[in-house]
Amino acid sequence: GSNVPTTTPACARSAELSRRAAALLLLQVACSLLRLVAGTCEIPVLRSHVLTLMRSILELPEYRFDELGSILIGRLRCDATRTHGVCCLRTPRTFDIGRPVTSVRSIAIHPVALDRPEWHVYARFILYHEFVHALGFHRHDCTLRTFERMRDRVHPEARTVTGNKFTNFLQARAEPRRCRRRLAAKAAGGVSMRLPQL
């Protein structure tokens, strides 16, 4: 008889899955390192920072900060120019202060605020603002502005000065693309203006 161990199909499948899991883990680590080198603001770090800040300035037990930690945070489309962040609900029109945070499906932040180090302070403000929405304060009224002023004690320029600079930066960045589209439409013999809606 032979002393060579035989491999069953189940063992071979298990070994292949282990190799794939190890390769996936290695890929995730590599991607994290690339983002770190590129200056990308990691979403878990951003979330942790903002929640710590919220707990320190909003020391009220009725706010469900722990539930905010479970909200999915993603990215907006990179061509957005006026929207810096958005809080999406599972069902529309369920915003109220008493509703559970679990009715929030996700929060999205502009990728430029996450990817460019010069906008990371503003990314924190955007997430803070969207977390306040997630707590049930959906209107941009005096209550929401009060929450924002509480945060202003930490970074007073983030809300107004940095927000306006970010909008201007996004619009300036988008303008060459608009010009290229207009030129391409003219070169193709098309019209670049919008037709009136009937």
Short mmCIF file of all heavy atoms in Angstrom, two decimals, residues 28 62 67 96 147 162 194:
data_model
loop_
_atom_site.label_atom_id
_atom_site.label_comp_id
_atom_site.label_asym_id
_atom_site.label_seq_id
_atom_site.Cartn_x
_atom_site.Cartn_y
_atom_site.Cartn_z
N GLN A 28 -8.29 43.13 0.97
CA GLN A 28 -8.90 44.18 1.79
C GLN A 28 -7.86 44.99 2.53
O GLN A 28 -7.94 46.21 2.62
CB GLN A 28 -9.90 43.55 2.78
CG GLN A 28 -11.15 43.05 2.12
CD GLN A 28 -12.02 42.26 3.09
OE1 GLN A 28 -11.55 41.76 4.10
NE2 GLN A 28 -13.30 42.13 2.75
N GLU A 62 -31.94 60.71 25.80
CA GLU A 62 -32.97 60.30 24.83
C GLU A 62 -32.42 60.16 23.41
O GLU A 62 -33.09 59.63 22.54
CB GLU A 62 -34.16 61.26 24.84
CG GLU A 62 -33.85 62.68 24.41
CD GLU A 62 -33.60 63.61 25.60
OE1 GLU A 62 -33.24 63.14 26.68
OE2 GLU A 62 -33.78 64.82 25.41
N GLU A 67 -27.48 53.42 18.28
CA GLU A 67 -28.18 52.97 17.06
C GLU A 67 -27.59 53.62 15.81
O GLU A 67 -27.64 53.04 14.73
CB GLU A 67 -29.67 53.30 17.16
CG GLU A 67 -30.40 52.50 18.23
CD GLU A 67 -31.86 52.91 18.33
OE1 GLU A 67 -32.45 53.27 17.30
OE2 GLU A 67 -32.39 52.88 19.45
N ASP A 96 -39.59 61.51 12.01
CA ASP A 96 -40.08 62.21 13.19
C ASP A 96 -39.16 61.88 14.35
O ASP A 96 -38.43 60.90 14.32
CB ASP A 96 -41.55 61.89 13.51
CG ASP A 96 -41.76 60.43 13.87
OD1 ASP A 96 -40.93 59.86 14.59
OD2 ASP A 96 -42.76 59.86 13.40
N PHE A 147 -28.39 72.30 16.73
CA PHE A 147 -27.46 71.17 16.80
C PHE A 147 -26.15 71.50 16.09
O PHE A 147 -25.07 71.16 16.55
CB PHE A 147 -28.08 69.92 16.16
CG PHE A 147 -29.06 69.21 17.03
CD1 PHE A 147 -30.41 69.25 16.76
CD2 PHE A 147 -28.62 68.49 18.13
CE1 PHE A 147 -31.32 68.59 17.56
CE2 PHE A 147 -29.52 67.82 18.95
CZ PHE A 147 -30.88 67.88 18.67
N THR A 162 -16.30 76.42 5.21
CA THR A 162 -15.85 75.23 4.50
C THR A 162 -16.93 74.69 3.59
O THR A 162 -16.64 74.23 2.48
CB THR A 162 -15.39 74.15 5.51
OG1 THR A 162 -14.50 74.75 6.43
CG2 THR A 162 -14.69 73.01 4.81
N ARG A 194 -31.10 72.84 -23.25
CA ARG A 194 -32.23 72.01 -22.83
C ARG A 194 -33.50 72.47 -23.52
O ARG A 194 -33.74 73.66 -23.66
CB ARG A 194 -32.43 72.10 -21.31
CG ARG A 194 -31.32 71.46 -20.54
CD ARG A 194 -31.62 71.54 -19.08
NE ARG A 194 -30.54 70.94 -18.32
CZ ARG A 194 -30.45 70.98 -17.01
NH1 ARG A 194 -31.36 71.62 -16.31
NH2 ARG A 194 -29.46 70.42 -16.37
#
